[in-house]
Amino acid sequence: MPVAAAPVPPIQAAAPETPVLTAIDRVWSGHPVGFALAVTDRQIFVGYYDAARQLTIASRSRSDGASWRYHKLDSWLGWDSHNGIAMAVDASGQLHVAANMHNDPLNYFRTTAPGDVRTLARVPMMVDAGVERRMTYPIFLTDAAGRLIFKYRDGGSGNGNERFNRYDPATGRWQALLSGPLIDGEGKRNAYAVGPVLGPDKRFHLAWVWRETPDAATNHDLSYARSADLQHWERSDGTPLTLPIRLSTAEIVDAVPVRAGMINNNTVPGFDARGRPMISFHKFDAHGDTQIFVARREGRGWRIVQVSDWRGFRWEIGGGGSLDSRLFVGGVEPAGDRLRLRVVRDGAPIDFLLDPDTLARVEERPGDSLAARLAARVAVPAGMRLGTVEDAGSGIALAWATRPPNRDLATADIPEPATLYLVLPPVLAK
């Protein structure tokens, strides 16, 4: 079960200019679900569920926004906020789309002509149809050599494994990156991983929690692994890990027990100015309040420091279905002579500035987010919020109004569709 998508934006070095908004389409707004954005040097690709909940891919030139090309795929969204869209362009220019899967068979499409969304065609199998029957959380990323990687969970919440495939553009075929899963729940649990994130050290860093059952309260044991090639994995001290990684062999960063205020997808890798890996997360403190913590690998182990000091704030985590999350945590990153950690609490962005040596909180202040900057320009009906997707490299983004999560249950009514906007930095809109 994911935390509802609300990416924490990157650091702004100065007050941002007013972005330019252009309408793309009318889209489903009955519950949040992850839309997708892929940007190349020449094109912008957008993946979303339209007003009729049909999976739709649109594209336009980066230099000429007068004309969008649209293509509707044979897949329709239900009420499940897990069923987000993943999208990427490979080295040969072909577009890949994986979407609408929550413990479902593979739902994957690929273009046959580079850059032409109207040539997207269903591909019924990547590697092994027998394995690709219960897929969730599709993610595309690239390895250190620039090759396209596909990551997904095989199995369900409380009983699943993390798997990776690698694509060969020369043959148009996928193959398993590993001989089995990277992380194995042994039929007893599953791992909810964030990453892999490529660090300044040119290694990939992965952080996760373990979940015993579909009940979100049963998250526990913050864990970590790293790899130079996504095939050979090790602990933070360089000790090789035998794959698949199991609870008994994993590196435990913080032995947080079940029902202790930790949630999946809010364990985010980051790095300090020296490139040392850090993990941001939250759990209950000794008083039972929810607090933000950071962990940093230094010396012979992990230093764990409480960052927030909130009183009377307790996020009760539990149950099944997509939660209406009260906290979103970003990754730590350098900010001048400080470290910055971006958090969204009950919809309000917050910046924590940390001492780079001790990790002690230096300042807690109001933060910034794309949603906050667009609040005065995009109409958000009562009871809704603004969903966003941002491409950090280009500054291009998406924005649309949506209702909050409803535990993946149908509501008594269906709201009017929302306008999906392309958000462009002023320099790109000229």
Side-chain angles (χ1 to χ4, degrees):
M1 173 181 50
V3 174
V8 179
I11 294 171
Q12 298 290 339
E17 296 182 82
T18 301
V20 175
L21 306 182
T22 60
I24 301 171
D25 202 348
R26 299 277 280 171
V27 300
W28 172 249
S29 64
H31 67 276
V33 64
F35 290 174
L37 176 64
V39 180
T40 70
D41 291 341
R42 300 178 60 184
Q43 283 183 281
I44 300 170
F45 299 94
V46 178
Y48 58 93
Y49 296 103
D50 71 7
R53 310 197 209 191
Q54 188 169 5
L55 178 59
T56 304
I57 310 300
S59 70
R60 51 155 276 193
S61 166
R62 285 186 64 163
S63 59
D64 179 10
S67 179
W68 284 91
R69 291 176 67 87
Y70 299 87
H71 187 60
K72 296 188 181 296
L73 300 170
D74 60 336
S75 182
W76 287 262
L77 177 70
W79 287 96
D80 197 332
S81 289
H82 296 80
N83 290 32
I85 303 168
M87 194 164 62
V89 180
D90 69 29
S92 64
Q94 302 291 3
L95 180 68
H96 301 249
V97 178
N100 209 13
M101 295 180 289
H102 183 207
N103 299 344
D104 292 309
L106 177 69
N107 197 37
Y108 165 60
F109 306 84
R110 186 170 69 237
T111 55
T112 57
D116 187 352
V117 298
R118 292 180 180 172
T119 68
L120 279 164
R122 180 179 290 277
V123 180
M125 182 183 75
M126 274 190 171
V127 177
D128 184 342
V131 173
E132 297 165 1
R133 295 179 298 179
R134 298 180 63 205
M135 303 177 73
T136 309
Y137 304 134
I139 295 174
F140 290 106
L141 62 145
T142 54
D143 66 10
R147 294 170 295 194
L148 190 63
I149 302 294
F150 181 71
K151 172 180 172 287
Y152 67 97
R153 186 185 74 193
D154 163 29
S157 178
N159 180 9
N161 306 314
E162 294 286 309
R163 292 184 181 270
F164 290 79
N165 296 334
R166 183 171 63 200
Y167 183 68
D168 183 352
T171 63
R173 294 180 179 178
W174 290 89
Q175 63 182 10
L177 184 62
L178 306 169
S179 60
L182 171 63
I183 307 174
D184 182 5
E186 303 176 270
K188 303 174 182 178
R189 60 187 64 88
N190 77 285
Y192 280 95
V194 178
V197 175
L198 185 61
D201 59 358
K202 306 304 180 184
R203 294 188 180 99
F204 290 92
H205 300 260
L206 194 67
W208 70 92
V209 297
W210 299 90
R211 172 82 71 81
E212 293 300 300
T213 74
D215 182 357
T218 63
N219 287 300
H220 62 95
D221 286 304
L222 177 63
S223 303
Y224 168 88
R226 70 184 188 190
S227 173
D229 59 6
L230 299 176
Q231 294 178 281
H232 303 88
W233 290 81
E234 62 187 23
R235 294 169 173 260
S236 60
D237 64 0
T239 303
L241 284 162
T242 300
L243 302 186
I245 303 170
R246 299 184 171 94
L247 177 59
S248 60
T249 60
E251 177 175 4
I252 306 300
V253 175
D254 191 357
V256 180
V258 300
R259 307 186 187 280
M262 188 166 63
I263 190 68
N264 48 284
N265 298 355
N266 256 359
T267 56
V268 184
F271 308 92
D272 68 8
R274 293 168 54 186
R276 289 177 292 185
M278 299 185 65
I279 305 172
S280 315
F281 62 105
H282 58 77
K283 62 179 180 177
F284 296 146
D285 66 9
H287 302 286
D289 292 321
T290 299
Q291 305 291 358
I292 304 297
F293 291 78
V294 294
R296 180 169 66 190
R297 184 62 167 87
E298 51 186 60
R300 297 183 178 180
W302 290 87
R303 173 190 282 187
I304 299 172
V305 176
Q306 180 178 321
V307 171
S308 63
D309 190 23
W310 299 324
R311 289 292 173 259
F313 175 69
R314 180 181 172 93
W315 178 17
E316 291 285 0
I317 299 168
S322 297
L323 305 180
D324 189 2
S325 301
R326 300 190 65 185
L327 277 176
F328 298 98
V329 180
V332 173
E333 52 190 336
D337 61 352
R338 299 285 187 247
L339 298 175
R340 179 177 291 173
L341 171 59
R342 294 202 162 209
V343 172
V344 177
R345 171 182 158 180
D346 289 335
I350 300 170
D351 280 2
F352 288 100
L353 297 183
L354 312 180
D355 182 280
D357 296 320
T358 66
L359 303 182
R361 181 183 71 252
V362 175
E363 184 180 0
E364 176 181 350
R365 66 189 187 190
D368 176 60
S369 70
L370 177 61
R373 297 197 301 273
L374 295 177
R377 303 185 58 205
V378 178
V380 180
M384 290 193 174
R385 59 189 60 171
L386 200 62
T388 61
V389 177
E390 301 179 63
D391 179 71
S394 66
I396 298 171
L398 303 175
W400 71 102
T402 178
R403 281 182 174 172
N406 191 45
R407 298 278 182 173
D408 303 327
L409 301 175
T411 56
D413 66 329
I414 293 178
E416 288 295 313
T419 299
L420 175 65
Y421 293 98
L422 183 71
V423 184
L424 293 173
V427 66
L428 296 181
K430 295 176 181 178

